[in-house]
Amino acid sequence: MWRTVGGEESRLPSREFLMGTDKPGIAADGEGPQRPVHVDSFHMDIHEVTNQQFQSFVRATGYITEAEKFGDSFVFEGIVSEDVKSQISQAVAAAPWWLPVKGANWKHPEGPDSNITDRMDHPVIQVSWNDASAYCSWVNKRLPTEAEWEFACRGSLKDRLYPWGNKLNPKGQHYANLWQGEFPAHNSAEDGYTKTSPVMSFPGNAFGLYDMVGNAWEWTSDWWSVHHTTDHQHNPTGPPSGTDKVKKGGSYMCHKSYCYRYRCAARSQNTPDSSASNLGFRCAAEQKR
Ligand SMILES: [Ca+2]
Ligand SMILES: [Ca+2]
């Protein structure tokens, strides 16, 4: 079903829910306070936009992503080849496992010696917020707001950590593509995947949405702020301006010891022109497309 250009969608109900948490895992990220938010009914892609879908967009429009224009993008060092690694000297001081790799882009997620040939049903990565917005417009959709994304993640469960409940591995099963082992040195891939997984490899939530946490981080339309009003909000769209955009859900690189962000209330941010080897998106729309 991922072969359809627009992707399958789930229709979510119009409802009030509790956004954020009063028990933040990472308080500095502005996960709290918990607050009542109403979202009108909307449609959400049931899975992250795949390489196959993004390729259809690029073939139809000739679109060139920002990573392709810049000539490089960030790749997690654990998945970069020794050959590529030997050509890099610069790294991000606060996060030395991120390497700026020349020639890394959505078609070559880990650099020029990598490709997506056997990953067409995986989430597209190395796409910026601007790239993601362009794709969603092309399919007559848009990025979800943070409130819509979080409502979708929670799948009508109240005050739970994950889209499926509070236990990370119910009955010993993996419900998301995350990191097992020791970050960043050892990924045991107990869930079956060291990098991205084909979309829908893990169980969907009550709204029929897959990989809301884990696999690839997902861009939302909101500008980033860590301050939120507790006044009742109706279809909030975030601050009017900012420097960073909100991303949600965590990725295959997330482990509790370093990135406990695979919870519905968790959030993080990047500038809209950023791209990385663990960051993708899905689209939303008012009406079915
Ligand atoms: Ca994994
Ligand atoms: Ca995801």
Side-chain angles (χ1 to χ4, degrees):
M1 70 174 58
W2 45 265
R3 283 190 175 80
T4 57
V5 168
E8 294 272 327
E9 298 164 3
S10 196
R11 182 175 180 275
L12 276 54
S14 177
R15 200 175 285 173
E16 181 172 291
F17 79 109
L18 292 172
M19 186 168 174
T21 176
D22 287 330
K23 289 175 265 178
I26 304 174
D29 285 350
E31 294 179 10
Q34 193 175 64
R35 53 211 185 267
V37 168
H38 180 94
V39 290
D40 287 338
S41 179
F42 67 102
H43 288 83
M44 185 81 151
D45 289 353
I46 62 170
H47 58 73
E48 296 144 333
V49 170
T50 63
N51 283 318
Q52 180 82 47
Q53 290 175 308
F54 200 78
Q55 183 183 68
S56 301
F57 162 58
V58 168
R59 283 185 174 164
T61 61
Y63 187 84
I64 297 169
T65 61
E66 292 197 285
E68 289 169 283
K69 286 181 200 158
F70 297 148
D72 61 23
S73 193
F74 282 101
V75 185
F76 170 52
E77 68 147 350
I79 56 177
V80 174
S81 70
E82 290 303 321
D83 190 35
V84 167
K85 223 181 277 185
S86 68
Q87 297 162 32
I88 300 168
S89 51
Q90 170 200 1
V92 182
W97 46 84
W98 284 115
L99 301 178
V101 173
K102 281 197 174 56
N105 58 53
W106 74 277
K107 285 178 282 191
H108 306 287
E110 294 89 35
D113 58 355
S114 65
N115 65 64
I116 54 170
T117 309
D118 59 355
R119 289 184 266 177
M120 296 312 285
D121 56 351
H122 288 225
V124 63
I125 49 177
Q126 301 293 17
V127 282
S128 69
W129 185 92
N130 295 313
D131 300 332
S133 298
Y135 173 89
C136 290
S137 296
W138 181 66
V139 290
N140 290 314
K141 300 185 192 181
R142 56 174 174 76
L143 286 172
T145 65
E146 181 181 9
E148 287 172 336
W149 194 98
E150 187 167 326
F151 174 66
C153 183
R154 293 182 179 280
S156 75
L157 294 177
K158 197 179 160 194
D159 214 13
R160 296 291 195 274
L161 293 172
Y162 312 118
W164 57 87
N166 271 339
K167 279 187 74 175
L168 182 58
N169 302 120
K171 295 180 181 158
Q173 297 298 303
H174 289 281
Y175 275 65
N177 182 4
L178 304 172
W179 181 292
Q180 297 86 38
E182 209 161 301
F183 188 87
H186 178 64
N187 187 344
S188 70
E190 199 184 281
D191 59 20
Y193 303 95
T194 53
K195 300 191 282 185
T196 57
S197 42
V199 297
M200 304 171 70
S201 295
F202 296 85
N205 72 4
F207 287 155
L209 305 171
Y210 294 80
D211 303 298
M212 289 300 291
V213 299
N215 211 13
W217 276 102
E218 298 174 26
W219 288 111
T220 74
S221 56
D222 292 27
W223 290 108
W224 172 261
S225 167
V226 294
H227 305 291
H228 315 290
T229 178
T230 50
D231 293 348
H232 190 276
Q233 298 274 296
H234 197 96
N235 296 326
T237 54
S241 62
T243 55
D244 288 359
K245 290 289 185 178
V246 177
K247 62 179 182 179
K248 297 282 277 185
S251 78
Y252 66 88
M253 284 175 59
C254 280
H255 183 273
K256 192 166 184 179
S257 67
Y258 130 88
C259 171
Y260 183 37
R261 294 191 175 94
Y262 42 89
R263 294 166 291 114
C264 294
R267 54 207 299 275
S268 192
Q269 87 275 29
N270 282 105
T271 57
D273 60 358
S274 298
S275 54
S277 57
N278 65 346
L279 178 49
F281 68 102
R282 76 181 72 205
C283 311
E286 270 73 38
Q287 303 293 328
K288 191 163 176 57
R289 299 296 172 192

